[in-house]
Amino acid sequence: MDDHARLDEAAVAERLSRLDGLLEQLEGAPGPMTGAAIEAVRTLTEVYGEALARVLDAADPALVDRMAADDLVGHLLVLHDIHPEPPEVRAARAVDGLRPAVRERGGDVELAGVEEGVARVRLAAKGCGSSSASLEEAVREAVLALAPELSGVERAPGDDARPPAFVPVDTLTVRTVSAGERS
């Protein structure tokens, strides 16, 4: 077997970004060849998906698990709708991965479930509303990275997170005087 050097995550991300740009260019290109080029890319993707499915069919379970756990290969398995784990399991793994960091900051996060393609999470965060918003965004990104076929991530119904309390400015500047301080 060839000892070919593998791409690191940054190189993979760069190539995926370049591919997105090239596909956008192709879709916007005028002329009769645009449709044929897009169809060629679709057909190639289907053939590669079929090849990947055949590899999974012939692989032992340990190899399938390793393939599914790899970020790039796992994404391809999702793209071709052949990932061995359902999106609920992958969403739970994403939330579980965030939990230690969230707890370290005094909060908690839990997957309540996945319904109709939307992950529902329970969030508890200390701090201002902006820290809660950044926690929500981090959870959304983590879940959709592992389960991109989901259409969204929302707070679970009945989530006990409270909106930040409104404190009028004048209550912060008025000093109360006790009976013993009056002159």
Side-chain angles (χ1 to χ4, degrees):
M1 185 161 121
D2 186 13
D3 196 20
H4 179 73
R6 298 290 176 229
L7 299 175
D8 64 16
E9 294 303 315
V12 169
E14 181 273 325
R15 282 167 176 78
L16 289 174
S17 177
R18 188 173 70 197
L19 178 60
D20 283 343
L22 290 169
L23 289 172
E24 283 178 23
Q25 270 185 313
L26 185 58
E27 288 174 344
M33 293 307 295
T34 300
I38 290 171
E39 184 60 27
V41 170
R42 275 195 196 108
T43 302
L44 183 62
T45 301
E46 289 173 5
V47 169
Y48 282 1
E50 177 60 24
L52 189 55
R54 290 178 184 194
V55 167
L56 286 181
D57 290 345
D60 68 58
L63 178 58
V64 172
D65 290 345
R66 283 186 26 226
M67 291 174 68
D70 180 275
D71 289 341
L72 180 58
V73 177
H75 187 76
L76 286 173
L77 297 174
V78 169
L79 174 72
H80 295 292
D81 199 26
I82 55 175
H83 200 289
E85 295 177 327
E88 296 83 2
V89 170
R90 289 179 275 124
R93 188 170 57 245
V95 169
D96 290 345
L98 288 174
R99 188 171 296 119
V102 173
R103 284 184 173 167
E104 211 172 84
R105 291 169 179 77
D108 200 8
V109 60
E110 171 187 14
L111 180 69
V114 175
E115 300 169 13
E116 298 178 17
V118 176
R120 312 261 190 240
V121 294
R122 288 189 187 90
L123 297 171
K126 285 189 175 182
C128 64
S130 66
S131 66
S132 179
S134 25
L135 173 59
E136 284 184 49
E137 181 61 19
V139 170
R140 187 186 74 73
E141 286 178 10
V143 168
L144 293 179
L146 289 185
E149 68 271 43
L150 295 178
S151 60
V153 179
E154 298 174 357
R155 285 197 121 142
D159 192 352
D160 64 351
R162 293 178 299 259
F166 175 74
V167 179
V169 172
D170 61 343
T171 63
L172 299 174
T173 57
V174 174
R175 182 173 163 237
T176 58
V177 178
S178 67
E181 288 184 55
R182 292 189 180 139
S183 31

